[in-house]
């Protein structure tokens, strides 16, 4: 069927972002050279080099930790209301520079500008505003008021600036200082945040940013003068960090992988559920730890729901992340694209039926079409392993009890979604589901006042909300 109309290109200008040829480390309030071999960060949509970025050696990490330790005394001694002023200032600068931050995030990460502009950056500012409000009210939170010291934080590439905010905002509000290591494929917004810290006149050493790959992150985690480790990323790396921290007195929070069930009952509003399913798995190309990657649909409405879902996928626009009409952007890296392709091939070889809408993918860059697998069994690899891409596995159920059993039949426990018109069923299901976050008739909704975190192999500890303060206080 021919489209009634076509969208004309509506690209956001990249001229608003002045990317430097090279970036150093941010230590003690200054940009300095790194001792390691520099690396290049690229635009995943075009494979063009954006900038050369310094690599921090263990000696560089030590300098950053010592700067944070030196700054800790004065920063933690400030009245909460004074720390709040800096956080409020940072939040306002983020709002003022929102457009350039959104463009930079889409260039470095590959996500559509519509998402970085309307979701990521506003939530970043909201987190700093929220924790600025807590800074002078810690005595009422119930966790005490004593900060831990130096926080070593390692963040992933799927939400680079948002994960930075989740980590840094509560740490600073509680009086800690920070050494943060961004992902090697998406370091640019973290380095721009360093400039924002200088613009806000944040005291030197309170926030330090060290770039590099896994060895740099291991140096941050393993440094003996780091009091708190916070990590968001894969379950495999989370296990390594847990082992490294075991036997020390470091406090640890881990936010790891997920394989969320999005459960649709026969009485759900089908069109509304379809929008939630699309948002649950194709938002940010499926690069979401809480993505609704397992669709559990009640058997009696499977055909109707799948027909509606396929029609909707036919309207998704895949392409230039800077185009405001784009729904699905580029896969973040060649390595991640290879993993998605491998697991999708395994899905086919194990007998699941693969379907994607007709869509023309760009010749350059890293791309994968929105994909649905039907005929999926619980034993299939694609129903068990986190694909971290725009790939949906569809399973069926008959009764609420069967839905709960299938939803919980996973080593992960980060999130879940329920679609039904019955409030009593929502409450019953939410009580039974072993997931840290359960959405009802919606999906992927975030608020800085709401805690986020998982069970089982999805990690431990909570970020966001009142609960997020506990991770940065000596309780």
């Amino acid at each position: 069927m021919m489209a009634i109309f076509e969208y004309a290109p509506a690209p956001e200008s990249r001229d608003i972002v002045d990317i430097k040829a090279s970036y150093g480390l941010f230590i003690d309030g200054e940009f300095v050279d790194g001792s390691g071999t520099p690396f290049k960060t690229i635009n995943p949509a075009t494979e063009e080099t954006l900038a050369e970025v310094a690599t921090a050696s263990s000696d560089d990490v030590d300098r950053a930790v010592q700067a944070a330790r030196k700054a800790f005394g004065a920063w933690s001694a400030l009245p909460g209301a004074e720390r709040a002023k800096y956080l409020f200032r940072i939040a306002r600068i983020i709002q003022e520079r929102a457009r350039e931050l959104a463009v930079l995030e889409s260039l470095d990460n590959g996500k559509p500008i519509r998402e970085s502009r309307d979701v990521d950056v506003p939530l970043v500012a909201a987190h700093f505003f929220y924790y600025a409000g807590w800074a002078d009210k810690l005595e009422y939170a119930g966790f005490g008021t004593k900060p831990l010291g130096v926080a070593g934080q390692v963040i992933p590439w799927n939400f680079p600036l948002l994960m930075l905010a989740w980590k840094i905002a509560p740490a600073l509000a509680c009086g800690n200082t920070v050494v943060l290591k961004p992902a090697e494929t998406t370091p640019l917004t973290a380095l721009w945040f360093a400039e924002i810290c200088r613009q806000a006149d944040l005291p030197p050493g309170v926030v330090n940013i060290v770039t590099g790959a896994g060895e740099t992150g291991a140096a941050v985690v393993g440094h003996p003068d780091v009091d708190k480790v916070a990590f968001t990323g894969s379950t495999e790396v989370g296990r390594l960090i847990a082992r490294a921290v075991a036997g020390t007195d470091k406090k640890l929070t881990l936010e790891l992988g997920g394989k969320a069930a999005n459960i649709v009952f026969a009485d759900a509003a089908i069109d509304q559920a379809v929008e939630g399913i699309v948002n649950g798995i194709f938002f940010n190309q499926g690069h979401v730890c809480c993505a609704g990657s397992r669709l559990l649909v009640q058997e009696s409405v499977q055909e109707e729901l799948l027909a509606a879902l396929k029609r909707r996928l036919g309207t998704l626009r895949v392409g230039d992340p800077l185009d405001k009409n784009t729904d699905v952007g580029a896969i973040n890296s060649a390595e991640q694209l290879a993993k998605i392709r491998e697991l999708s091939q395994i899905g086919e070889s194990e007998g699941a039926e693969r379907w994607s809408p007709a869509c023309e993918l760009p010749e350059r860059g890293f791309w994968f079409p929105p994909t649905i697998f039907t005929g999926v069994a619980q034993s299939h690899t694609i129903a068990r392993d986190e694909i971290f891409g725009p790939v949906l596995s569809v399973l069926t159920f008959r009764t609420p009890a069967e839905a709960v059993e299938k939803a919980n039949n996973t080593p992960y426990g980060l999130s879940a979604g329920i679609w039904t018109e019955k409030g009593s069923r929502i409450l019953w299901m939410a009580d039974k589901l072993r997931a840290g976050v359960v959405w009802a008739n919606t999906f992927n909704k975030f608020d800085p006042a709401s805690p986020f975190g998982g069970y089982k192999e999805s990690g431990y500890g909570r970020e966001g909300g009142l609960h997020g303060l506990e991770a940065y206080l000596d309780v």
Side-chain angles (χ1 to χ4, degrees):
M1 186 176 71
M2 289 184 61
I4 298 173
F5 59 88
E6 293 291 338
Y7 282 90
E12 172 65 90
S13 172
R14 61 177 292 174
D15 293 341
I16 192 172
V17 175
D18 182 19
I19 301 176
K20 299 175 185 175
S22 63
Y23 288 88
L25 313 173
F26 185 65
I27 298 176
D28 205 17
E30 301 291 338
F31 284 98
V32 298
D33 293 335
S35 305
T37 304
F39 64 97
K40 290 177 170 57
T41 184
I42 67 169
N43 180 344
T46 63
E47 300 181 59
E48 67 170 308
T49 297
L50 294 171
E52 187 175 81
V53 181
T55 292
S57 66
S58 57
D59 289 340
D60 296 325
V61 170
D62 181 64
R63 279 195 295 155
V65 173
Q66 296 313 318
R69 177 61 60 195
K70 179 182 173 184
F72 172 67
W75 179 251
S76 61
L78 278 179
E82 292 300 312
R83 290 198 302 272
K85 289 179 183 178
Y86 288 102
L87 291 171
F88 277 125
R89 198 177 299 162
I90 288 170
R92 288 194 295 271
I93 294 171
I94 288 168
Q95 288 182 320
E96 290 164 4
R97 302 181 66 173
R99 187 179 173 198
E100 56 188 295
L101 287 168
V103 170
L104 187 64
E105 195 77 305
S106 288
L107 283 172
D108 205 20
N109 173 275
K111 67 175 63 189
I113 185 69
R114 189 164 47 83
E115 294 178 7
S116 54
R117 179 196 66 195
D118 298 345
V119 180
D120 293 41
V121 176
L123 275 173
V124 169
H127 271 81
F128 278 98
F129 276 125
Y130 176 79
Y131 281 109
W134 268 116
D136 64 344
K137 304 173 187 67
L138 296 178
E139 60 185 297
Y140 305 108
F143 305 122
T145 59
K146 184 181 177 183
L148 294 168
V150 176
Q153 303 173 330
V154 181
I155 59 174
W157 46 260
N158 57 336
F159 291 93
L161 193 59
L162 182 57
M163 293 298 100
L164 176 150
W166 280 26
K167 301 284 188 291
I168 290 182
L172 298 193
C174 292
N176 303 277
T177 53
V178 165
V179 177
L180 179 129
K181 206 286 286 186
E184 60 269 32
T185 62
T186 54
L188 293 185
T189 45
L191 293 167
W192 276 49
F193 180 79
E195 294 183 358
I196 288 172
C197 289
R198 293 175 69 172
Q199 189 178 342
D201 292 325
L202 192 70
V206 172
V207 169
N208 305 271
I209 295 174
V210 291
T211 46
E215 291 182 0
T216 304
V220 172
V221 169
H223 197 286
D225 211 22
V226 164
D227 303 292
K228 155 76 184 177
V229 173
F231 172 76
T232 296
S234 70
T235 297
E236 293 75 18
V237 176
R239 288 194 187 100
L240 295 175
I241 290 174
R243 292 190 188 104
V245 170
T248 72
D249 58 358
K250 294 177 184 177
K251 197 167 183 179
L252 176 65
T253 49
L254 297 172
E255 198 263 277
L256 308 176
K259 193 69 179 175
N262 211 355
I263 306 163
V264 181
F265 285 90
D267 65 342
I270 295 297
D271 289 341
Q272 182 185 356
V274 165
E275 291 304 310
I277 294 162
V278 169
N279 182 43
I281 185 57
F282 302 119
F283 174 68
N284 196 28
Q285 298 73 256
H287 299 332
V288 186
C289 50
C290 57
S293 54
R294 288 184 299 148
L295 173 61
L296 300 183
V297 55
Q298 200 154 23
E299 211 171 82
S300 60
V301 291
Q302 180 191 14
E303 289 186 13
E304 180 187 357
L305 182 74
L306 283 176
L309 181 59
K310 288 180 178 180
R311 283 196 303 271
R312 180 67 178 92
L313 261 59
T315 70
L316 293 181
R317 296 174 295 278
V318 181
D320 180 10
L322 286 187
D323 192 323
K324 301 181 196 73
N325 294 322
T326 294
D327 298 300
V328 181
I331 302 302
N332 180 255
S333 66
E335 180 184 14
Q336 186 60 29
L337 178 58
K339 178 186 175 186
I340 295 167
R341 285 174 172 167
E342 178 188 3
L343 286 168
S344 296
Q345 188 60 46
I346 290 172
E348 281 191 285
S349 66
E350 290 182 347
E353 184 178 339
R354 180 176 181 170
W355 182 89
S356 293
C359 62
E360 189 175 335
L361 301 180
E363 293 182 5
R364 289 187 62 80
F366 313 125
W367 305 92
F368 197 88
T371 300
I372 298 174
F373 278 97
T374 53
V376 178
Q378 290 279 88
S379 59
H380 284 174
T381 302
I382 56 172
R384 299 195 319 267
D385 292 2
E386 184 179 37
I387 299 174
F388 220 62
V391 181
L392 178 66
S393 298
V394 182
L395 302 92
T396 61
F397 68 91
R398 292 182 179 179
T399 67
E402 183 185 358
V404 169
E405 187 175 353
K406 285 187 171 180
N408 287 340
N409 186 14
T410 172
Y412 299 107
L414 192 56
S415 63
I418 306 167
W419 299 84
T420 177
E421 68 171 13
K422 293 182 173 62
S424 58
R425 180 181 288 154
I426 290 171
L427 295 174
W428 182 85
M429 291 285 293
D431 185 56
K432 301 291 183 184
L433 291 171
R434 191 66 173 158
V437 178
V438 179
W439 286 291
N441 292 324
T442 188
F443 208 92
N444 274 341
K445 297 296 184 198
F446 298 97
D447 189 289
S450 178
F452 182 87
Y455 296 103
K456 299 187 284 188
E457 291 185 17
S458 289
Y460 43 80
R462 293 293 181 267
E463 293 182 299
L466 167 67
H467 302 71
L469 296 168
E470 182 180 9
Y472 292 96
L473 291 168
D474 189 2
V475 179

